[in-house]
Amino acid sequence: MYGYVIPDKPNLLMKEFSLYRAHYCGVCRAMAALFGQIPRLTVNYDITFFSLLMFDLTGTDAEFQEKRCAAHGFKMTGNVKRNKLLDKIAALNVLMSYRNLKDDIVDGGLKKAAPAMLLKHANKKAARLLPGADDMIKRRYASLIALEKENCVIVDMAADCFAAMMRDAGREILEEKFTESTGEFLYNLGRWVYLADALDDIDEDFKKKNYNPYLKAHNNFINRRQFIKDNFAEVSAPLYGSVNRMAELLQGFNLTKSRNLLRNIVIYGIRNKTEQLLKSEKKLPKEKI
């Protein structure tokens, strides 16, 4: 995943921030236990949001613990204890991260191959844990790469591959608790993440002649600021469309422990990120939560 799905910190209560960090650290520790130290580097804010949502939708009670963390100066940090659900989420993160890195090789050549190689062993183990998800992710990325090679000019068609992958990933994790509305929510989440990443990378993709759905759909790129101004309606509409639909669907979910935190991320965090992307004159810096 990419790391765009973040909370709006000014509107977070301390207990909500602690819950968010506990899931982030919980996924990280599960990754280390299952796959080793290097795959921990792939943990990001998107998978943290996914973890919060999956725990709530499945009604899984999260148990918490405190352990020392080297990344935080060996201070005690709270984290969600490993359980079957958290292990599945960690495995899914490895599978998606590995395929994303493999996709980068298409754009960046052999110099992009090293990060993927570092995850190769972890990916094989994750595939044994979630064979259905592994097959699905391979198919979705293959479809995406095929569209990129064809220089697809339809933005929604390119975004559909990643959107459908997020929907199907939820089906793999939720199993019998997967619903049509959950699938639509995750589809829009994946669609938004793909489009947000494409917009964020537009300068770099133009310079390197990498595939970018916005550049193929609108052949008038001069610079980022001018491009967004000239194509504002076409660029902003799909982003805000997914944001608004996620907010609508979230209202119908029977959420409990993470309700306010998930609302904060969807209603404020993702919307704020959208506005930043549409106003920024350069690639956004990585935020630290």
Side-chain angles (χ1 to χ4, degrees):
M1 294 188 184
Y2 300 89
Y4 295 108
V5 185
I6 63 172
D8 179 41
K9 286 180 70 175
N11 283 307
L12 275 184
L13 296 176
M14 183 57 70
K15 66 179 181 179
E16 293 163 355
F17 177 73
S18 296
L19 178 61
Y20 185 87
R21 291 296 308 183
H23 274 265
Y24 184 98
C25 295
V27 174
C28 186
R29 287 191 178 278
M31 294 278 288
L34 288 168
F35 308 112
Q37 297 301 317
I38 291 177
R40 298 176 82 171
L41 298 174
T42 65
V43 179
N44 58 59
Y45 302 137
D46 298 357
I47 197 65
T48 303
F49 174 81
F50 189 82
S51 178
L52 286 160
L53 184 64
M54 294 299 103
F55 268 77
D56 221 317
L57 290 177
T58 58
T60 302
D61 289 328
E63 295 185 55
F64 301 93
Q65 63 183 356
E66 286 197 352
K67 287 194 173 184
R68 297 193 183 278
C69 177
H72 293 85
F74 293 98
K75 294 180 180 178
M76 300 294 286
T77 60
N79 57 90
V80 175
K81 286 184 179 181
R82 277 184 64 196
N83 58 22
K84 183 179 179 181
L85 176 59
L86 196 60
D87 283 357
K88 289 170 67 176
I89 292 168
L92 179 68
N93 186 60
V94 168
L95 294 172
M96 296 184 76
S97 297
Y98 179 75
R99 287 297 152 187
N100 182 41
L101 289 170
K102 292 279 283 186
D103 186 39
D104 283 346
I105 295 174
V106 176
D107 290 337
L110 292 178
K111 66 181 181 179
K112 291 283 189 177
M117 290 300 295
L118 291 173
L119 284 185
K120 189 173 182 179
H121 177 72
N123 181 72
K124 288 182 178 179
K125 185 174 181 181
R128 291 195 294 270
L129 294 173
L130 290 177
D134 180 50
D135 290 341
M136 177 274 294
I137 291 169
K138 286 178 182 176
R139 291 197 309 271
R140 295 299 183 190
Y141 262 110
S143 298
L144 178 57
I145 291 171
L147 288 174
E148 291 177 353
K149 287 182 177 179
E150 294 168 6
N151 289 316
C152 177
V153 298
I154 303 174
V155 174
D156 269 344
M157 185 178 293
D160 175 76
C161 297
F162 194 83
M165 181 171 61
M166 281 301 303
R167 178 197 62 209
D168 294 346
R171 181 183 286 110
E172 290 288 336
I173 300 299
L174 293 171
E175 297 177 346
E176 72 278 359
K177 294 188 177 180
F178 180 84
T179 66
E180 184 177 339
S181 59
T182 301
E184 187 179 355
F185 178 91
L186 291 170
Y187 181 92
N188 277 281
L189 175 65
R191 180 174 181 256
W192 181 86
V193 168
Y194 178 85
L195 295 175
D197 183 65
L199 184 57
D200 202 22
D201 286 346
I202 197 165
D203 294 302
E204 183 179 352
D205 288 338
F206 179 76
K207 291 175 183 177
K208 295 183 177 181
K209 295 181 170 52
N210 291 337
Y211 175 81
N212 186 298
Y214 288 124
L215 294 175
K216 295 300 178 182
H218 309 285
N219 190 26
N220 60 347
F221 187 88
I222 299 173
N223 58 59
R224 181 193 190 98
R225 182 178 184 180
Q226 191 64 43
F227 180 85
I228 294 174
K229 181 180 179 180
D230 292 344
N231 306 286
F232 186 80
E234 294 87 348
V235 171
S236 62
L239 287 166
Y240 280 121
S242 283
V243 172
N244 293 336
R245 187 57 183 146
M246 280 189 284
E248 291 173 4
L249 289 163
L250 193 70
Q251 303 300 322
F253 292 167
N254 184 27
L255 303 174
T256 54
K257 294 179 180 179
S258 301
R259 180 177 181 274
N260 290 336
L261 177 52
L262 291 168
R263 282 174 52 82
N264 171 284
I265 296 171
V266 173
I267 295 173
Y268 299 108
I270 294 179
R271 188 174 297 277
N272 290 345
K273 184 63 69 176
T274 303
E275 293 173 358
Q276 290 174 25
L277 286 164
L278 292 170
K279 293 176 181 177
S280 178
E281 296 183 10
K282 59 183 179 180
K283 187 176 177 69
L284 297 180
K286 295 294 184 182
E287 292 194 44
K288 187 174 181 179
I289 303 298

